[in-house]
Amino acid sequence: MDVAVIGAGYVGLATAVGLTALGHSVDVGERNEERVAALRQGRSPIYEPELVSFLETAVSSGQLRFHPSNIEAVRNADVVFLAVPTPQGEDGAADTSIVFAVLDEITPVLEPGAILVMKSTVPVGTVGRIQEMLDERGAGATVVSNPEFLREGSAISDFLHPDRIVIGTSDQRAAERMIELYRGLQAPLVVTDPVSSEMIKYSANAFLSTRVTFANAIANLCEAVGADVKDVLLGMGYDNRIGFHFFNPGPGFGGSCFPKDTNALVAIADDAGYDFSLLKAVIHINDIQRERVVDHVRRGVGGTLEGATVAVWGLAFKAGTDDTRSSPAIAIVERLLEEGCVLRAHDPQARVSIEGVTQVNTPIEAVSDADALLIVTEWSDYRMVDLHHVATSMRGDAIIDARNLLDPDAVRRLGMRYQGIGR
Ligand code: NAD
Ligand code: UGA
């Protein structure tokens, strides 16, 4: 099929290259001209494993094309994906202004019979609203909800091997066309109405956020009662109903999606007259989690952060990505700066420009003469660093491991003090 994708970010690029791998011809509309120029040469503007090799193949074969004009991308397309940002608005709800701006732009050139696919995460009811709008304009296109569940750091693999494909439409022909589009992917299909499909996306992210927050809350309680959260979660996880996945305590969830999507679902619930107090508590507990990490650092340097030199390992919101949007590491760094710390930070992929933070090229450079080491992102590289070298490079003796990455006994054997999360 001839497919257009609007927005060349994590979702748009994974969708575009994934669809070329399924044999479709893809035109991408992207308003950032620098991105377009790089992508046309097969260069990726984001760090995402596997993306570059797929990109090079599809661009050089002519199967994948990039345009600074959305109109050019959409012309003649059978299927048009929207993968533009839906950031959190001031009231907590998702801001859909970019989605609607793109719609205004492309509606006049949509082919009659085209399918418009909503990949962006949009408030419940948006697909229905867009359908009404297109019908009023006589566009002759059908709007389908097809939420994306990929994770950054494994976006391409998640697109090609999804746990499920959700298609939200009440139009039989559109559902069949979508199933045809994804032929070649082995995944269970959930075909439902658009509102339920939009709910699936938010509910999945809210559930996963809640699960992480539950692990964090248990970890906090473990600290208070003197238990080891690793053993507690292990003992829980062997219960098949609970399991081990996505159950690691840390500095709180972050990223471009969980924080905004949990807030958006609370706003959706408020609008619908349901008080989602469970999710409100999750958001609250998650916000406090970062402050607990700051408290650990404060204790580690003897009670006052003013003038302390702290090495920070990890800036990305999680390992495997260079994305620092709503990264707990950045929030913690900002708090430490407020308290007067001197910071030297390292990350294998993420780059930041924050006044007061010196970003260095190796983890060892970061710890040189530091009073404390704080690990915030769970890059496996940090497990490999020679701890003896760390201990001898540091001035102080505190290691705050906000991802429970290191072996506490190995740290303590070197005469260092270890503080994890919940252990
Ligand atoms: P992103 O910020 O990585 O990429 C968005 C792209 O759209 C950028 O390249 C931007 O320049 C471009 N863009 C913005 N306005 C445009 C316009 N008017 N015309 C053309 N291009 C425009 O965003 P993302 O992370 O890919 O997220 C996109 C949507 O997908 C969001 O709704 C998000 O919630 C959802 N989502 C994201 C993920 C994820 O892991 N990042 C996963 C599932 C769903
Ligand atoms: C998340 C979902 O996992 C995807 O399914 C979804 O498509 C995406 O959001 C989205 O809607 O955009 P992602 O943001 O890439 O994907 O990150 P996750 O791997 O889910 O991690 C989210 C946050 O939770 C990170 O800060 C991570 O460090 C944290 N986390 C995750 C934990 O603290 N502990 C865990 O056990 C797992």
Side-chain angles (χ1 to χ4, degrees):
M1 292 186 203
D2 284 322
V3 180
V5 176
I6 307 301
Y10 289 89
V11 172
L13 286 175
T15 304
V17 302
L19 289 172
T20 60
L22 295 180
H24 303 295
S25 170
V26 181
D27 286 275
V28 178
E30 164 59 53
R31 73 164 173 197
N32 180 330
E33 297 195 7
E34 274 175 36
R35 272 195 175 201
V36 172
L39 287 161
R40 280 178 170 166
Q41 293 169 17
R43 284 190 286 116
S44 171
I46 52 174
Y47 169 75
E48 188 58 50
E50 295 190 272
L51 176 58
V52 170
S53 61
F54 276 88
L55 202 56
E56 282 170 355
T57 309
V59 169
S60 61
S61 70
Q63 208 184 340
L64 176 60
R65 298 159 298 271
F66 292 92
H67 309 267
S69 151
N70 293 334
I71 290 173
E72 284 308 311
V74 164
R75 247 183 243 291
N76 304 321
D78 304 311
V79 183
V80 178
F81 281 85
L82 291 201
V84 290
T86 47
Q88 189 174 324
E90 276 172 21
D91 56 356
D95 176 350
T96 53
S97 55
I98 300 178
V99 168
F100 281 92
V102 170
L103 284 170
D104 285 343
E105 205 183 339
I106 64 172
T107 307
V109 290
L110 280 179
E111 286 291 317
I115 295 176
L116 187 74
V117 185
M118 193 51 61
K119 268 279 174 212
S120 298
T121 304
V122 289
V124 175
T126 304
V127 162
R129 268 177 65 205
I130 295 173
Q131 185 68 67
E132 277 171 23
M133 198 181 88
L134 293 189
D135 291 348
E136 277 165 21
R137 294 178 185 177
T142 305
V143 192
V144 172
S145 165
N146 173 219
E148 181 52 63
F149 302 100
L150 65 75
R151 295 157 298 173
E152 292 179 22
S154 54
I156 307 301
S157 159
D158 286 349
F159 182 89
L160 293 173
H161 309 282
D163 288 341
R164 77 296 208 187
I165 295 170
V166 175
I167 295 170
T169 177
S170 310
D171 183 300
Q172 183 68 24
R173 188 194 73 96
E176 282 164 12
R177 294 285 282 164
M178 290 301 292
I179 293 168
E180 177 67 24
L181 183 81
Y182 285 124
R183 190 191 296 277
L185 295 184
Q186 304 286 321
L189 280 171
V190 179
V191 182
T192 182
D193 60 274
V195 169
S196 303
S197 172
E198 290 165 328
M199 266 304 286
I200 290 170
K201 174 64 198 171
Y202 279 113
S203 309
N205 273 2
F207 181 81
L208 292 169
S209 305
T210 304
R211 189 173 159 96
V212 168
T213 303
F214 189 85
N216 285 336
I218 291 294
N220 298 343
L221 184 53
C222 284
E223 280 175 25
V225 299
D228 184 333
V229 75
K230 278 224 162 170
D231 290 345
V232 172
L233 296 180
L234 190 69
M236 288 173 67
Y238 278 117
D239 184 326
N240 285 327
R241 295 168 300 176
I242 298 174
F244 302 107
H245 289 304
F246 224 79
F247 214 26
N248 298 312
F253 60 76
S256 68
C257 292
F258 280 9
K260 87 170 166 70
D261 289 351
T262 45
N263 278 295
L265 189 54
V266 164
I268 289 165
D270 283 345
D271 262 6
Y274 175 67
D275 177 13
F276 207 151
S277 50
L278 171 66
L279 199 53
K280 288 177 185 168
V282 165
I283 294 167
H284 175 66
I285 295 167
N286 194 58
D287 287 344
I288 295 174
Q289 195 67 10
R290 290 146 194 204
E291 204 51 39
R292 291 182 64 93
V293 175
V294 173
D295 287 343
H296 283 320
V297 182
R298 186 182 292 106
R299 275 194 293 277
V301 297
T304 173
L305 289 165
E306 177 74 45
T309 300
V310 179
V312 179
W313 283 1
L315 295 164
F317 80 95
K318 64 171 186 178
T321 180
D322 61 353
D323 197 346
T324 57
R325 290 179 288 179
S326 298
S327 171
I330 303 297
I332 291 166
V333 156
E334 282 168 355
R335 282 287 298 114
L336 293 175
L337 286 173
E338 262 172 42
E339 300 256 350
C341 288
V342 175
L343 298 183
R344 264 200 308 276
H346 172 267
D347 190 284
Q349 291 297 336
R351 293 283 165 272
V352 296
S353 165
I354 302 175
E355 204 182 318
V357 179
T358 309
Q359 196 165 348
V360 294
N361 293 325
T362 65
I364 288 294
E365 275 178 75
V367 295
S368 162
D369 286 333
D371 296 302
L373 162 62
L374 168 63
I375 305 174
V376 208
T377 312
E378 73 282 22
W379 288 103
S380 54
D381 311 31
Y382 296 146
R383 279 206 186 91
M384 315 298 169
V385 180
D386 175 4
L387 283 179
H388 180 72
H389 199 165
V390 171
T392 52
S393 303
M394 283 175 62
R395 179 167 59 209
D397 64 354
I399 296 189
I400 296 91
D401 180 3
R403 294 287 188 168
N404 292 344
L405 204 67
L406 305 181
D407 173 1
D409 292 336
V411 172
R412 290 184 185 123
R413 273 198 298 274
L414 290 165
M416 307 289 282
R417 287 179 298 133
Y418 177 90
Q419 174 65 59
I421 299 291
R423 53 197 324 229

